[in-house]
Amino acid sequence: MQLSEYLALVDSLAHDARALLDGIDPATRVDAAKGQLNALKDARMVALQGALRDLPAADKRAAGGAFNGLKTMVDELMESFIARQRAASGTGPALDLSMPARRTWAGSLHPVTIVIDEICDIFRELGFTIALGPEAETEHYNFGALNFPPDHPAMELHDTLYLGDDTLLRTHTSPVQVRTLQRYAPPIRILAPGTVFRRDPFDASHAPAFAQVEGLAVDEGISFVDLKATLAEFARRFYGKSRRVRFGPSYFPFVEPGAQMDVEVDLNDGKGLRWVEILGCGMVHPNVIEAAGIDSEKYTGWAFGMGPARIAMSRYDISDIRVLYDSDVRFLEQFAR
Ligand code: DAH
């Protein structure tokens, strides 16, 4: 082969490669463009490289230079094709890697849910299991079996949401005590979390639907000491040892004696430290134990009912219960962990 012939082959390959990449549809993906380019040039490059050996020694230098120039040119054509593609799609080196990442909202548990979970965890360690009951209850389970006299004011229309006949939305989780006592033989240690309903106004400290956690322990030889020791231990684990709690007398028809536990809080509303009632408790009334068909001479027990919303407010210094119902992400995301 003559040198001129060789150089003409190099030129024609360079021309074809440029024509290919100039004419290619900009929507072609880079790897597809590379494939088309290789299909065009590979066999012809190998032939040109082989032909180098057969050229007269005097022409080898010039021909080799042209061959190398061709290789560089094809690579540059490919580079500029890639650069054009990137510029068109707005990616590539124009990407600013120092831009802060966009924050993603991973969601969080509601503060009342966090508190219920923690209460359940603490009592689980103390030997309690979870029990559940219906939200639509009968008057019997909600009131009668819990030793409410038939004319008790809690049963008034303006306090309770009746569904008709003797069905109502439970006003507390205490009916789960009766259902559990009827179903299982002592020893019993249960915790019953759930929603309860009252015809209460929606204000800073009341809501018409809210959560309660009921507790019940029934066995032989259970005394008020067990009640006080267990609830004080709960408060220590939940609030930490330095938080002050106190017990005081209270009245509920289904316990005798009845008590309440208060915790000292500062709600950061400028009013300073105060006592807030977080639960009612007491020794289960013998009438309740008997109504469930259990011998009250042999078995005694204690019970409590606490309000996780009140507890969440006491723990997180919240002074208005309504923020717990607002679903305001700016409030809720403070509890994301
Ligand atoms: N059921 C009561 C209420 O909703 C709370 C309560 C008080 C539950 C004393 C108990 C208890 O189990 O022993 O106000």
Side-chain angles (χ1 to χ4, degrees), residues 16 38 65 80 93 150 203 215 240 256 260 318:
D16 292 350
N38 291 340
S80 73
D203 63 25
E256 179 59 34
Q260 67 181 53
I318 297 166

Side-chain angles (χ1 to χ4, degrees), residues 28 34-35 50 110 113 117 134 137 141 168 208 213 228 243 267 274 298 313 317 324:
T28 312
K34 268 189 186 153
H110 191 277
T113 307
D117 288 351
E137 262 299 2
Y141 282 109
L168 44 80
V213 179
K228 209 180 157 192
R243 193 73 86 98
L267 300 181
R274 89 208 59 170
K298 187 167 176 204
M313 292 167 77
D317 300 339
L324 298 173

Side-chain angles (χ1 to χ4, degrees), residues 171-174 177 198 212 214-215 252 254-255 280-282 303-305:
T171 61
H172 52 180
T173 42
S174 302
Q177 289 189 34
R198 291 187 197 170
Q212 278 195 340
E214 190 82 14
F252 304 94
F254 38 93
V255 285
C281 57
F304 67 83

Side-chain angles (χ1 to χ4, degrees), residues 107 118 182 265 286:
E118 260 184 69
Q182 286 179 335
V265 297

Side-chain angles (χ1 to χ4, degrees), residues 103-119:
R103 231 160 62 85
T104 51
W105 164 237
S108 70
L109 292 178
H110 191 277
V112 172
T113 307
I114 295 174
V115 164
I116 293 174
D117 288 351
E118 260 184 69
I119 294 169

Side-chain angles (χ1 to χ4, degrees), residues 151-167:
D151 54 352
H152 193 279
M155 297 160 76
E156 288 291 330
L157 280 172
H158 57 258
D159 287 331
T160 300
L161 293 155
Y162 287 89
L163 299 175
D165 296 332
D166 76 335
T167 328

Side-chain angles (χ1 to χ4, degrees), residues 8-42:
L9 286 173
V10 167
D11 273 354
S12 100
L13 179 48
H15 173 268
D16 292 350
R18 183 173 287 121
L20 172 79
L21 287 178
D22 281 351
I24 209 162
D25 180 352
T28 312
R29 288 173 39 156
V30 165
D31 51 359
K34 268 189 186 153
Q36 289 186 32
L37 185 63
N38 291 340
L40 173 91
K41 73 168 215 269
D42 280 353

